[in-house]
Amino acid sequence: MQQIEQIVASLRDEGFRITPQRIAIVNYLLKTEDHPSAELIHKVIRKRYPMVSLSTVYKTLDLLKEKKLVNEMDVEGEARFDAHTDEHINIVCMNCGKIDDIDEDSLKEIQVKAARKSKYLILKSSFELSGYCSNCKSKFQG
Ligand SMILES: [Zn+2]
């Protein structure tokens, strides 16, 4: 789990101006489990910082991505952001686009087995499960 202090320090090292708006963006990303889009991040941050522009949000996200502090993923053509860069499994609702994290203890086990079988040195993995979330599934179950 990343800490806000580490992220801010690493942005400052890059010579990036640390503004309260940018800290708010990072903080929100660390706290939320919603895997928000840039537009949603903008909407949330604007409540406290009405002057923050969508382009500031994009620029901050680009930098965080470059520093590998957030993951960007594509959900049905929309970019969504996740500051939880520890290995985990995402599960995506195919109806409403909700994304949850699943802490999967057996992820390591899968890697060990795959490494043994393929003789690869495995450095990272990403899994995505899709389906219908608890709110949506009733619409799709007979
Ligand atoms: Zn859903």
Side-chain angles (χ1 to χ4, degrees):
M1 183 76 182
Q2 303 180 78
Q3 297 302 312
I4 182 77
E5 293 81 10
Q6 289 171 319
I7 294 179
V8 167
S10 111
L11 295 181
R12 191 170 283 136
D13 285 350
E14 293 294 299
F16 217 69
R17 248 181 81 224
I18 307 300
T19 60
Q21 292 91 321
R22 282 185 175 133
I23 291 176
I25 293 169
V26 175
N27 247 331
Y28 169 60
L29 275 169
L30 284 174
K31 266 189 290 180
T32 185
E33 292 190 347
D34 287 346
H35 306 72
S37 63
E39 286 76 14
L40 181 61
I41 296 167
H42 183 227
K43 218 168 119 185
V44 170
I45 302 305
R46 220 176 34 185
K47 284 184 197 151
R48 244 182 94 192
Y49 300 99
M51 301 297 279
V52 74
S53 68
L54 186 56
S55 99
T56 297
V57 173
Y58 275 117
K59 270 191 250 166
T60 306
L61 287 170
D62 278 345
L63 189 87
L64 292 169
K65 253 179 0 193
E66 204 179 292
K67 301 288 292 171
K68 306 216 183 314
L69 299 169
V70 299
N71 290 330
E72 178 179 352
M73 51 192 163
D74 184 298
V75 179
E76 323 252 308
E78 185 182 47
R80 307 272 293 259
F81 299 90
D82 187 0
H84 304 103
T85 52
D86 293 349
E87 291 197 342
H88 62 268
I89 297 177
N90 287 315
I91 185 161
V92 182
C93 178
M94 294 157 72
N95 185 53
C96 69
K98 176 175 154 63
I99 305 174
D100 281 310
D101 291 343
I102 301 174
D103 289 317
E104 183 49 78
D105 292 337
S106 59
L107 197 52
K108 275 275 170 291
E109 208 175 296
I110 295 169
Q111 287 184 357
V112 168
K113 277 187 194 159
R116 202 174 291 149
K117 211 170 165 188
S118 66
K119 310 226 185 318
Y120 269 63
L121 169 64
I122 295 175
L123 299 176
K124 62 178 282 227
S125 59
S126 77
F127 287 93
E128 195 172 280
L129 305 175
S130 307
Y132 296 122
C133 73
S134 54
N135 290 327
C136 296
K137 69 180 178 193
S138 60
K139 295 176 209 154
F140 297 93
Q141 282 174 338

